[in-house]
Amino acid sequence: SASLLGILQHPDGTVLKQLQPPPRGPREQEFYNKVYDSNCCDSILLELREYLPKYFGVWSPPTAPNDTYLKLEDVTCKFNKPCIMDVKIGQKSYDPYASAEKIQQQVSKYPLMEEIGFLVLGMRVYHVSSDSYETQNQHYGRSLTKETVKDGISKFFHSGYCLRKDVVAASIQKVEKILEWFEGQTQLNFYASSLLFVYEGSYEVTAVRLSDATLAEKRRVPKGLLSGGDVLEYNNNIHVINSMENGKIEASVSKGLSKFYALHKKACSKRHHSQLSLKVENSEQDNVWKTSTCITQEHLNGNVLPQLEKVFYHVPAETKESANVEVRMIDFAHVFPSNTRDEGYIYGLKNLITVLQNILDN
């Protein structure tokens, strides 16, 4: 996967992805600019938007105007206990302009790429039973063989109690949509690009839909308490995810928004500006920049949707609506114009669908 210097999760529901050194960073920025150009009338690119995170242009910290970040939709932010898997797709994870050395390096990382067509770069799965996350890094994915890849991926869909077949089925449908897009386009080829899978790890048996009026009422209750005494969980966490070329490592520094809200109120009462300092550690350069983000009352109200839910330790019998699952394409530092179908990516998608189908059928 593309090496990320750092991904910063912002309370406004976006993430900041630092631009990589040229030519990779500018190539990724150019790709997003092309797809999200407001004058774009190419139906292929317009459809592609459905499968990407939304793009909000670039951003630089005031303290370091030369550091450029892509501002992207945080696909995980609507989930309470997001389970996340990053799968690199394609038969080659090096692009057509790669040096012999780069090709050798990429092939030796996972010699089966050509044969399997995809590689699990990492996963984070919420286990209901222990109320904790299990994380696997890229070494886990690279240890998978043709024989073990099915079980290796099925781990992502296991809650600690059962296999989430609803999620597997919904994932297959989403990947099939992306496959259809690839089968109909001959203008772009993707190398070392990934699919990001996200689903809700907590079983929502009852989700009370509150009307806006009720919400406005609840929001005025102090200390995040509902009149009934239930504590609202503010789920927008702030994470710092460090990633390096040799795989994605997550060092998440997270503060519940409730604590953050308390800090905000405290700061306001002291007549200070309510600013939260976000630190991003740059794993490759070891330098740290800080940026202050002003969190206003309005921000909080806009982003915090209290969800009342009872969590049961068994899956509800056949959920009526299909599982809440996101599958998005990410990492575009190696996307090139083309005049042929992207057969390597198509091969990987078809193989991945076959594996998912086998997990479902077993």
Side-chain angles (χ1 to χ4, degrees):
S1 166
S3 91
L4 314 180
L5 292 182
I7 285 200
L8 176 64
Q9 214 167 7
H10 192 287
D12 68 3
T14 63
V15 291
L16 297 169
K17 174 180 177 180
Q18 188 162 23
L19 220 57
Q20 299 170 63
R24 293 174 302 166
R27 205 186 288 128
E28 182 161 37
Q29 183 181 349
E30 197 185 326
F31 169 80
Y32 275 113
N33 284 340
K34 181 183 162 107
V35 175
Y36 284 94
D37 185 335
S38 55
N39 299 318
C40 173
C41 53
D42 178 337
S43 61
I44 299 246
L45 297 184
L46 293 174
E47 188 194 334
L48 177 59
R49 292 178 184 179
E50 296 173 38
Y51 312 123
L52 308 185
K54 289 189 187 69
Y55 172 63
F56 303 100
V58 292
W59 178 88
S60 294
T63 50
N66 297 330
D67 285 355
T68 308
Y69 290 78
L70 298 170
K71 200 169 188 340
L72 300 166
E73 171 190 8
D74 176 4
V75 182
T76 69
C77 81
K78 66 175 183 182
F79 296 93
N80 177 23
K81 300 288 184 189
C83 297
I84 304 164
M85 178 170 65
D86 181 339
V87 184
K88 190 193 282 193
I89 307 287
Q91 290 178 278
K92 296 180 168 69
S93 53
Y94 51 89
D95 69 46
Y97 302 94
S99 64
E101 189 187 9
K102 178 70 176 177
I103 293 174
Q104 176 51 43
Q105 180 221 13
Q106 286 297 320
V107 171
S108 63
K109 273 188 181 180
Y110 194 57
L112 282 173
M113 197 76 185
E114 192 80 33
E115 206 176 335
I116 293 180
F118 61 85
L119 168 62
V120 176
L121 290 177
M123 64 171 76
R124 181 168 179 258
V125 189
Y126 177 70
H127 284 172
V128 180
S129 39
S130 55
D131 184 27
S132 63
Y133 282 96
E134 182 184 346
T135 304
Q136 302 292 348
N137 65 14
Q138 86 284 357
H139 299 293
Y140 174 79
R142 296 211 300 253
S143 72
L144 299 176
T145 63
K146 280 177 295 184
E147 292 70 40
T148 61
V149 70
K150 174 176 161 262
D151 289 340
I153 285 186
S154 69
K155 197 190 242 305
F156 175 63
F157 300 101
H158 211 284
S159 71
Y161 275 118
C162 65
L163 182 66
R164 291 287 303 273
K165 290 202 167 189
D166 56 329
V167 177
V168 183
S171 298
I172 292 171
Q173 287 182 340
K174 303 248 171 177
V175 179
E176 281 175 340
K177 287 285 291 175
I178 293 172
L179 174 60
E180 274 175 42
W181 181 84
F182 270 90
E183 289 183 324
Q185 71 89 20
T186 56
Q187 54 173 291
L188 292 170
N189 283 1
F190 295 75
Y191 301 89
S193 185
S194 287
L195 285 185
L196 188 71
F197 290 77
V198 189
Y199 73 89
E200 180 56 70
S202 64
Y203 304 147
E204 298 184 22
V205 177
T206 54
V208 182
R209 296 261 170 265
L210 300 174
S211 70
D212 289 344
T214 329
L215 273 177
E217 211 39 60
K218 301 289 187 215
R219 280 178 184 143
R220 280 199 286 275
V221 183
K223 297 196 186 78
L225 286 179
L226 294 182
S227 38
D230 301 78
V231 178
L232 290 183
E233 281 295 326
Y234 292 110
N235 185 43
N236 298 34
N237 285 342
I238 291 173
H239 294 286
V240 177
I241 298 178
N242 277 340
S243 294
M244 293 175 262
E245 182 65 280
N246 66 352
K248 303 199 169 173
I249 296 164
E250 170 174 74
S252 74
V253 180
S254 63
K255 276 216 171 76
L257 208 55
S258 42
K259 279 182 201 151
F260 188 104
Y261 185 64
L263 289 171
H264 165 76
K265 291 185 73 164
K266 193 170 162 187
C268 286
S269 65
K270 287 187 175 166
R271 300 246 181 274
H272 288 313
H273 292 297
S274 67
Q275 292 185 327
L276 180 83
S277 168
L278 300 180
K279 278 204 301 193
V280 173
E281 303 214 17
N282 208 326
S283 55
E284 287 184 4
Q285 293 154 359
D286 249 331
N287 67 339
V288 172
W289 57 262
K290 297 187 176 77
T291 171
S292 311
T293 312
C294 192
I295 308 295
T296 59
Q297 181 76 38
E298 174 191 294
H299 253 113
L300 286 170
N301 287 352
N303 288 308
V304 176
L305 187 76
Q307 270 218 325
L308 306 173
E309 55 178 44
K310 293 192 173 60
V311 177
F312 279 54
Y313 284 142
H314 54 82
V315 180
E318 265 337 281
T319 23
K320 302 233 175 357
E321 46 192 313
S322 78
N324 191 5
V325 177
E326 287 285 356
V327 179
R328 304 286 184 95
M329 296 167 60
I330 58 168
D331 291 349
F332 305 113
H334 303 273
V335 177
F336 293 87
S338 161
N339 48 22
T340 60
R341 291 203 322 176
D342 189 340
E343 297 298 349
Y345 200 109
I346 288 172
Y347 176 89
L349 288 179
K350 286 182 171 173
N351 263 2
L352 182 56
I353 290 168
T354 302
V355 170
L356 293 173
Q357 196 62 55
N358 288 341
I359 291 171
L360 190 60
D361 297 342
N362 238 12

